[in-house]
Amino acid sequence: MALISFMLSIHGRVYAGHSIELPCIAGGYPSPTVRWLKDGRPLPSDARWTRRLTGLTISDLRQEDSGSYACEVTNSFGSKEVSGQLHVIDPLRVTLSPKNLKTGISSTLFFTCTVEGSPEYTITWYRNTEPIVPDEHISIQGQHNDTLQITAAQKLHSGAYQCFASRKGHTAQDFSIILLEDGTPRIVSSFSERVVNPGEPFSLMCAAKGAPPPSITWTLDDEPVVRDSTYKTSQYTLSDGLTVSHVNVSSPLIPDGGVYRCVARNSAGSAEYQARINVRGPPRIRPMRDITAVAGRNTYITCRVIGYPYYSIKWLKDGMQLPDNHRQVVFENGTLRLTDVQKGADEGTYLCSVLIQPQVSINQTVHVTVKVPPLIQPFDIPSTSVGKLMYIACVVSSGDMPIRITWHKDGQLIVPGSASGVAIETKEFMSSLQISNVTLKHNGNYTCIASNAAATVSWERQLIVTVPPRFVVQPNNQDCIYGKAGVLNCSVEGYPPPKVMWKHAKGVGNPQQYHPVPLTGRIQIMSNGSLLIRHVLEDDRGYYLCQASNGVGSDISKSMILTVKIPAMITSHPNTTMARKGQIKELNCTARGEQPIIIRWERGDTVIDAERNPRYSISINKKGDEVISTLKLNPAERGDSVFFSCHAINSYGEGRGLIQLTVQEPPDPPELEVREVKDRSMNLRWIQRFDGNSIITSYDIEYKNKSDTWDHMYTTRNISPTNNQANIVELHPACVYSIRMYSYNKIGRSLPSKELTISTEEAPPDGPPMDVILQPMTSQSIRVTWRAPKKELQNGVIRGYQIGYRENGPGSNGQYSIVEMKATGDSEVYTLDNLKKFAQYGVVVQAFNRAGTGPSSTEINATTLEDVPSEPPQNVRAISVTSDEAVITWAEPPRLTLHGVLKGYRVVFWSLFPDGEWGEMQNITTTREQVELRGLEKFTNYSVQVLAYTQAGDGVRSNVLYIQTREDLPGPPAGIKAVPSSSTSVVVSWLPPLKPNGIIRKYTIYCSSPGSGQPAPSEYEANPEMLFYRITHLTRGKQYLIWAAAVTTAGRGNISAKVTVEPAGKVPAKILSFGGTVTTPWMKEVRLPCSSVGEPTPTIKWTKDSEDSAIPVTADSQRQILSNGTLVLRLVKAEDSGYYTCTATNTLGFDTIIVNLVVQVPPDQPRLTVSTTSTSSITLAWIPGDNGGSSIRGFVLQYSVDNTEEWRDVFISSSERSFRLDNLRCGTWYKVKLAAKNSVGSGRISEIIEAKTHGREPVFNKDQPLLTHINSTHAGLNLQGWTSGGCPITDLMLDFRPKGTWAWQSLKANSTNQLFLSELREATWYELKMKACNSAGCGNQTSQFATTDYDGSTIPPIKSARGEGDDVKKLFSIGSPVILVTLGVALLFIIRKKRKEKSDKLKKYSLAEMLISKNNRSIDTPVKGPPQGPRLHIDIPRVQLLIEDKEGIKQIGEDKAAVPVTDTEFSQSVNPQNFCTGVSLHHQALIQNSGPLIDMSDIRPGTNPVSRKSIKSAHSSRNRYSSQWTLSRPSQSQSTASARTLTSDWRTMGSHGITATESDSYSASLSQDTDKGRNSMVSTESASSTYEELARAYEHAKLEEHLQHAKFTITECFISDSSSDQMTTGTNDPADSMTSLSTPSEPGICRFTASPPKPQDYDRGKNVAVPIPHRANKSEFCNLPLYMKTDPFFRKQGELHDPCPAVPPREASIRSLTQRAYHTQGRHKTLDPAKQQAQTLGHSGLGSLGTSSGTATLPQRTLTMPSSNNAATASTSSTSSNPTNSNKVGGSRDSLLESSSSALGRLQKQSVGAYSKSYTLV
């Protein structure tokens, strides 16, 4: 057995992280076994350790791998072992701190160099790349020189400092930058000298800057300032290094004055500042200490004066005033400076003299002692050598005694003795240092230090001790391995350090001649003198001589022999070689080196064992000192394309030859993928995974239509191998292709790649739309029609069109505005809205598909229709020419506002009368810009407006221009009376002229006597304010003619009629005042004069005509008759209108006049409807109501968005009957209301209607694909699938996430064409949510999609795993319907039972309650004008009368327009199973197609109903029917059976008045379908009133059993067909939409006239039962209507606040039964006498109401009144029988059953004025 080698010394030290092989090559027979030990133990298992035939390989070395390794080889003949040490060294890592430092000069700095790794290292320091040499400022400390200290750093110490750590050729370093600034403190801010009073606080501030930041101290007259109760000091440092210090003196006294000094100090130096602070008071001088000065330096002496003021400070010495030489200076503040102090001249006593008053001084002395510092005589120290004697003397040549002398070496005090080998001898002014035996340790700097009381001085010199060189380590013979590093050891010492030189002599025999070793990068001399050969060569063998010298003594030298051992090495091998797959390949390797040599083959990292793998064979051949090894591969395979290595191993090393074998073959097919697909091209990308170990030379791409065979393929050949992608062009859009690919190298062609199937994208159309035609529709719209592009040019499915339009007129920008629409077919039509009026537009149309937009059609021009001018004529002026003529001039409106061809102008004018009324509106048409108005009323105010008109109609009127015609002669007085007042006088009265034609200046009265012979009548003048005149001195019994005339500035007018009068002694009663018509606004005071004469004095009586009788007018709070007969009416109302008669009576006769009083009121509410709507406008039309007796001045239109309360006002002219609201939001609901104004004020607000502009929220077209393209990482979304709904899409938001995850990724799209989702996961299912919004709302679309795999293949859908529970699921899916059916049957049975119970309860409810139980919605709308009462709005989806069960309704025949229904039919027994709470009144048998519709609502006295236009008869038109329902009194036998009465509390009305005011309310239930309610007709006050009045009229008939008939007439109804979703009223155009009237099912409108009689006579209605409120508890109180909550009856005593929480208006509509009451504000109408008589008779039975048996049917409670005991009895029984029916209150404040005290008062005054009222029911 032979053990070949094991040498760890070569690789003994290895760095951590590297790899090493410990060689152990053994041979023998039988083959030995090898075992490795570490530190005496078997190796543990570790993947980093690999056992090989040649040894142990350790990779990724670690520190713990260090230790002793042994290789033990054993076979049956014995064993051998070899061991060695392995040292794993960590790499050096150096950290220098601090890293960067900026500080001041004189600072002390410390640098620490931290080294990680093996502890065997040396540290060297560098500054600015130069080695650092320690000196007086720099010292290097620490065991490894790891600390650098800089003391009192100077400017030159700035720079870059480096710390180098070295260990046997390995070096690491770190650096730090130091910046030193001049850090000497400097005062940057200070205080100034000042004078303060005792007790006046002061503060001193001193700020200094330096590096490091200084500290500040304070002194007062050279005494430290101590912090106490008097002095407060503070100090702080700012971030910029500024140190600030304050001294605060809160209550200074005289001793607190003096010189304050601040001193800033740091390690770099100090700075100071001082100033005097004077405290007022008697001056004095502080005691001054004696001063010691140093000769040669400067000294300051301060006279410490306190107190202020003083005159001057003087210094004296030896009686002489200073200064007396150039070295003395006296400052103004009293400080004396002595420069370059001299002992003889300046030492002595100094006197400070302070002049405090004239001829008065105070003095203080101070003694100055001058000290002289020592002076050392310079000396030098000569060099010496070891073992010699040394004597060094230090002599002080001058200075004050005593003087102390000490010695220091290298900054440390020398302690004499045997340890230091130094002796010191010191005398009075001299000291010597003696060394008896000089050694090397005595080298250094020696310093002599002399000090006395004045100063300390020093002198330093260096002692150099020389030592001859000597060997520390001598060179020895040494073996080195070729190619490795070798160190020839040689170490010497001496002082100065010896210089080492190496010499070399070649050969192995005796050395011939030494030559100096050339020092190159390969060979270097180390710092200890050893020679380092980094790479040993064979030429390095031979003799080496190490020679050292330092100039001291003789040189020394020593020789050695270096032997070079050659390790095994590979001398020849191929680096690379090629082989063809399947062929035989041989690899050769040649090695040389020290024998024996073993050669090992490896494939990669695996040793080749030819015995186990027959595909390999190894052969060895020796030639001389070379060994040749051959490896044969039979055959070569693809896996052999690796690195093969041959390893040559001997005892001195191992050599390796690396051979790269490349086995070539045809390439693998490329991996093909589609990167991008377009309409006519696609971008392909491929990856060539394996090129067959041969350069790819080209690629071929083949593609075909998927339906074709590869025989019809297209080929792109010879694609450059440098490309990895290609574009395939000239494809057809929207076509499916199959694609494959080949790759080529020098060996051959690959197999085809995996075949891909790809669809090209659509391309934008190549052709424009055809047959584009424009047709103007209105002044702002043009209809565009066209056909789709040619089929072959569409390039896909046409998704829609873009219509571009622009104005082709002057001033237009030429830019197209674009609108989009969805494609609907081959022919399209679109209407362009909101265009400019009468403007020419150019229109182009483009088709688009999913890919984009095609070319546009040829521009076609069209002009919008003419419209009315939008601006009035300009510069309108009016000039009054005469009293009846005026001239109006103007200028043409701006051309751009004409909107058509100007046809002419129209001048509109009307007169304004003094009473505020307007005259008839007139107009004149002309083509000129001037018109003369002739025939005007004289001296009359006129309003003038001018408008321009076109073919389309009248334009906007100009602002009203006011003009007054000139004065003229007045007309005759309108009337004249002359009556005798005595036997000699008459009284004349007259009326002003009907046409004054100016301001009346006076009246002239003429009196003449026919036959008297007088040629001219007598004339009398009267003031214009006087309308009567007394003419006296007439003759009794003589007749006189009397007439009058008015006079203006223009002259006297025409005379009045002549009247004849004869004075008489007895005068019958005559009235001087005139009758006629008096018009006044309401709520004013009116005086009706009735002046009379007569003898005896007449009596005056006023009456008011009422129907056919006259009612005397009596005085009360509202009426008063003055002593002169004038009737004063205060705060007149509409009911005060009528004919008033004044009668004057005396014994001789009577006289009467009749005055017609007309009270003007605000106009009635207009009837507002919607005529047309568009996407941005709503056109409204209205019919004005009664003008209230005064001309309507205009209308105020208010509108707001439905869900807001921000109303906007629009003012409209009185002549307008329609208006269009423009610039509205698309697809939005709006609320609109209208009010009229006259001279009295604003009238009632119209019904609030709602209308919606065209448009709806976006919807995704189900026919459109949501995803256009999906691959492994991207998905294309088709945003064009969204239809806008008519309103432009404003926002488009997307959320997507992988299925099964929580977090959504959000994306907001800006375009509406296509969007790509990127960075998706491949082969993943995704969830997608899309949301598109416009002004009408938002639409949503959800979807799921999956990305493809990397090769383009799709993935299967996610399926739930089938488990054991599938059978249970099947059973559940089968059983669930059975269970649901069973539950449904049970639930139906329960519901029928509940309905039966509920029907029994409903029998107790009256018709009124059922009528009022309707869906309600409260809308609080602030309106302008007179305050309105609370309003209740009810949405009614379907017209229903809740009367009785289905069997109770009579079938109405075709020939009957009115069917009487008796109360008996209402009271018949009800079948509970068939009870129905609502029966529709729609009967097709009642359809009529002719006759006008009469609007009977709000009929006023003196007005005619408005005849509406008839409705066209068609299937989709509105059908109308009429019916009349008559309710009659039930019989006595049936009275007790009826339980359907109004559940209210009741009180009776007695002779002493009403006991409680009416405060009824009906409940309204919440709608079950609020969404449908929005589409229904907006409920109005009149709709609510109709339900209420029907109910209350029915209750009225039930209560007043004596009434035979209480009629409810359905005046007319018209409904739309059930298939129509819109209805229209008041128009002939069936296309006009009235969206506010649309209902979900059978919509319609009915108008009812409720005409019940009212109580005629108050006295005969003592016991009429009237409803009173029910006092509710707190829970019920919160559900009461608003107006009832304000009634004190419902509040508890002392409760002043509302106990219910506030509810927002919108929430209030949802809160169950909370409602608002309202005023119906009905108008009275006089009935014919026959009806009056019938009603009068009808009330005859009221007196017995309380005692009849019919009281059982009355409501539940009757309050006993003092005049009726029977009523109390009935009341009690009623209450006890039905105690539960008092939970509801009914009615409104102003209803048909009007029974409040104020209403009854009006009944008493108005007698039997019954009334009727019409309403609209929707």
Side-chain angles (χ1 to χ4, degrees), residues 1452-1642:
I1452 302 175
E1454 298 181 1
D1455 57 343
K1456 293 182 180 181
V1459 179
V1461 181
T1462 64
D1463 201 53
T1464 304
E1465 297 173 53
F1466 283 97
S1467 304
Q1468 66 184 359
S1469 61
V1470 179
N1471 183 359
Q1473 296 180 354
N1474 297 328
F1475 185 83
C1476 180
T1477 59
V1479 182
S1480 298
L1481 283 181
H1482 298 304
H1483 299 284
Q1484 296 301 323
L1486 299 180
I1487 296 176
Q1488 298 178 2
N1489 296 323
S1490 63
L1493 291 178
I1494 305 300
D1495 186 356
M1496 301 296 293
S1497 61
D1498 297 327
I1499 300 300
R1500 295 174 177 272
T1503 61
N1504 293 323
V1506 179
S1507 177
R1508 292 182 178 266
K1509 300 176 182 178
S1510 61
I1511 306 302
K1512 293 183 178 181
S1513 61
H1515 179 70
S1516 62
S1517 64
R1518 285 67 180 157
N1519 301 321
R1520 186 193 58 199
Y1521 63 86
S1522 297
S1523 180
Q1524 184 179 40
W1525 295 85
T1526 303
L1527 310 181
S1528 59
R1529 179 174 60 86
S1531 64
Q1532 293 292 337
S1533 62
Q1534 294 171 338
S1535 61
T1536 59
S1538 175
R1540 291 184 290 278
T1541 57
L1542 183 64
T1543 55
S1544 304
D1545 291 341
W1546 300 84
R1547 294 184 182 181
T1548 57
M1549 183 169 54
S1551 59
H1552 296 288
I1554 191 69
T1555 59
T1557 59
E1558 176 194 12
S1559 180
D1560 300 341
S1561 175
Y1562 289 103
S1563 63
S1565 62
L1566 186 64
S1567 172
Q1568 295 180 357
D1569 192 349
T1570 56
D1571 293 334
K1572 292 182 178 180
R1574 173 171 288 281
N1575 294 324
S1576 66
M1577 165 66 181
V1578 172
S1579 302
T1580 63
E1581 179 181 340
S1582 42
S1584 307
S1585 302
T1586 301
Y1587 277 119
E1588 181 182 357
E1589 297 300 347
L1590 285 172
R1592 292 188 56 77
Y1594 173 71
E1595 291 299 330
H1596 190 80
K1598 296 287 291 182
L1599 290 172
E1600 301 181 21
E1601 295 182 289
H1602 63 285
L1603 297 181
Q1604 295 300 319
H1605 294 87
K1607 293 184 179 180
F1608 299 92
T1609 302
I1610 302 177
T1611 309
E1612 71 265 358
C1613 285
F1614 52 95
I1615 61 173
S1616 65
D1617 186 79
S1618 60
S1619 63
S1620 173
D1621 62 350
Q1622 292 182 342
M1623 64 184 300
T1624 305
T1625 61
T1627 178
N1628 282 327
D1629 187 359
D1632 291 343
S1633 65
M1634 185 174 175
T1635 55
S1636 60
L1637 295 181
S1638 61
T1639 56
S1641 175
E1642 295 183 346

Side-chain angles (χ1 to χ4, degrees), residues 142-462:
Q143 180 180 0
H144 297 284
N145 295 334
D146 54 2
T147 301
L148 176 67
Q149 177 180 351
I150 304 177
T151 306
Q154 302 300 313
K155 187 71 174 179
L156 58 89
H157 293 130
S158 297
Y161 284 77
Q162 292 175 284
C163 169
F164 281 87
S166 302
R167 180 185 59 196
K168 294 186 177 181
H170 180 62
T171 303
Q173 66 92 25
D174 195 10
F175 71 95
S176 176
I177 303 297
I178 304 301
L179 180 61
L180 294 172
E181 298 177 335
D182 185 1
T184 304
R186 62 184 186 279
I187 306 295
V188 298
S189 182
S190 59
F191 56 95
S192 60
E193 185 172 336
R194 68 178 74 173
V195 178
V196 298
N197 295 319
E200 177 186 350
F202 63 88
S203 177
L204 307 180
M205 187 272 288
C206 191
K209 205 166 188 180
S215 61
I216 299 176
T217 58
W218 292 83
T219 60
L220 171 58
D221 287 338
D222 299 327
E223 297 292 335
V225 174
V226 181
R227 181 183 176 90
D228 56 16
S229 60
T230 301
Y231 301 102
K232 306 295 183 183
T233 61
S234 65
Q235 181 174 304
Y236 54 89
T237 301
L238 301 178
S239 59
D240 59 354
L242 181 67
T243 301
V244 182
S245 179
H246 290 269
V247 170
N248 298 323
V249 182
S250 57
S251 182
L253 302 176
I254 294 175
D256 295 325
V259 176
Y260 283 83
R261 179 184 295 112
C262 65
V263 181
R265 293 186 178 88
N266 67 0
S267 57
S270 64
E272 64 179 39
Y273 171 82
Q274 66 182 29
R276 173 176 288 278
I277 304 299
N278 296 301
V279 180
R280 294 184 183 275
R284 66 178 185 269
I285 303 175
R286 297 183 199 271
M288 293 185 290
R289 298 178 181 177
D290 291 343
I291 296 174
T292 299
V294 178
R297 301 180 184 177
N298 297 341
T299 296
Y300 293 87
I301 307 173
T302 302
C303 186
R304 310 203 304 180
V305 180
I306 58 175
Y308 188 83
Y310 52 84
Y311 288 90
S312 64
I313 300 176
K314 297 180 181 179
W315 284 96
L316 297 93
K317 183 177 183 292
D318 299 333
M320 295 182 64
Q321 184 175 345
L322 303 181
D324 62 352
N325 59 46
H326 68 282
R327 294 185 298 103
Q328 298 173 346
V329 178
V330 178
F331 296 99
E332 292 182 359
N333 61 0
T335 300
L336 171 63
R337 183 182 71 185
L338 303 177
T339 305
D340 188 16
V341 175
Q342 299 178 8
K343 184 174 180 65
D346 296 325
E347 196 171 43
T349 300
Y350 292 80
L351 175 67
C352 174
S353 177
V354 180
L355 182 64
I356 60 175
Q357 290 181 6
Q359 308 301 322
V360 178
S361 299
I362 57 176
N363 301 317
Q364 185 71 258
T365 61
V366 60
H367 184 77
V368 177
T369 302
V370 179
K371 297 291 186 178
V372 179
L375 177 63
I376 298 176
Q377 185 174 333
F379 61 87
D380 288 323
I381 303 176
S383 298
T384 186
S385 59
V386 175
K388 293 189 176 181
L389 301 175
M390 176 59 63
Y391 179 85
I392 306 171
C394 178
V395 179
V396 177
S397 59
S398 65
D400 291 342
M401 301 299 288
I403 296 174
R404 180 173 176 267
I405 302 174
T406 57
W407 287 89
H408 288 73
K409 177 181 180 291
D410 296 330
Q412 300 295 324
L413 179 66
I414 297 175
V415 179
S418 58
S420 61
V422 177
I424 299 174
E425 181 180 356
T426 302
K427 295 185 178 180
E428 188 175 8
F429 54 86
M430 184 185 107
S431 178
S432 62
L433 186 144
Q434 303 169 19
I435 303 175
S436 58
N437 184 17
V438 175
T439 63
L440 194 59
K441 69 177 181 179
H442 292 128
N443 271 312
N445 294 322
Y446 289 82
T447 306
C448 174
I449 301 174
S451 60
N452 65 0
T456 298
V457 296
S458 64
W459 184 265
E460 183 181 82
R461 283 295 180 266
Q462 183 181 11

Side-chain angles (χ1 to χ4, degrees), residues 1179-1409:
T1179 302
L1180 305 165
W1182 60 88
I1183 301 173
D1186 181 24
N1187 63 9
S1190 177
S1191 302
I1192 292 179
R1193 303 292 179 85
F1195 299 93
V1196 178
L1197 181 68
Q1198 293 181 303
Y1199 68 98
S1200 72
V1201 178
D1202 182 43
N1203 56 358
T1204 68
E1205 297 300 333
E1206 298 178 2
W1207 293 89
R1208 299 181 182 178
D1209 295 345
V1210 179
F1211 298 94
I1212 305 173
S1213 170
S1214 61
S1215 61
E1216 300 293 336
R1217 293 297 179 266
S1218 65
F1219 186 80
R1220 185 172 70 184
L1221 289 172
D1222 289 316
N1223 301 320
L1224 304 181
R1225 293 196 315 200
C1226 180
T1228 303
W1229 281 92
Y1230 284 87
K1231 297 184 295 188
V1232 188
K1233 55 187 178 181
L1234 183 70
K1237 295 181 67 176
N1238 62 7
S1239 60
V1240 180
S1242 296
R1244 287 199 303 151
I1245 303 294
S1246 71
E1247 304 164 355
I1248 299 177
I1249 67 173
E1250 287 184 351
K1252 180 174 177 290
T1253 53
H1254 289 177
R1256 54 172 295 175
E1257 67 275 1
V1259 177
F1260 195 86
N1261 186 4
K1262 295 182 179 179
D1263 298 334
Q1264 291 266 16
L1266 181 62
L1267 295 156
T1268 61
H1269 167 72
I1270 301 177
N1271 59 21
S1272 60
T1273 59
H1274 290 71
L1277 301 179
N1278 175 26
L1279 304 185
Q1280 289 185 348
W1282 285 101
T1283 58
S1284 64
C1287 304
I1289 295 177
T1290 57
D1291 293 299
L1292 193 57
M1293 289 154 286
L1294 299 96
D1295 293 310
F1296 62 96
R1297 67 181 178 185
K1299 206 165 184 180
T1301 62
W1302 290 99
W1304 291 91
Q1305 291 180 261
S1306 298
L1307 190 63
K1308 190 170 184 179
N1310 294 324
S1311 92
T1312 57
N1313 294 327
Q1314 195 169 16
L1315 178 70
F1316 282 94
L1317 303 180
S1318 59
E1319 299 181 4
L1320 304 179
R1321 303 179 190 172
E1322 67 179 28
T1324 303
W1325 277 95
Y1326 277 84
E1327 298 177 81
L1328 175 66
K1329 296 190 301 184
M1330 298 178 66
K1331 182 178 181 182
C1333 298
N1334 59 12
S1335 58
C1338 295
N1340 296 283
Q1341 179 71 11
T1342 60
S1343 180
Q1344 297 181 2
F1345 68 93
T1347 55
T1348 63
D1349 210 336
Y1350 70 94
D1351 58 356
S1353 60
T1354 59
I1355 63 174
I1358 299 178
K1359 296 182 179 179
S1360 58
R1362 177 177 174 87
E1364 297 178 357
D1366 289 348
D1367 295 335
V1368 179
K1369 292 179 182 179
K1370 286 184 178 179
L1371 181 61
F1372 180 76
S1373 62
I1374 296 173
S1376 294
V1378 178
I1379 297 173
L1380 291 175
V1381 170
T1382 305
L1383 292 176
V1385 172
L1387 183 62
L1388 182 62
F1389 177 78
I1390 295 173
I1391 292 174
R1392 291 175 61 88
K1393 186 177 181 180
K1394 292 290 184 181
R1395 285 183 175 176
K1396 180 179 179 182
E1397 296 174 357
K1398 187 176 181 180
S1399 65
D1400 295 337
K1401 294 181 181 179
L1402 288 173
K1403 293 178 183 179
K1404 304 176 184 179
Y1405 295 158
S1406 65
L1407 167 67
E1409 292 174 287

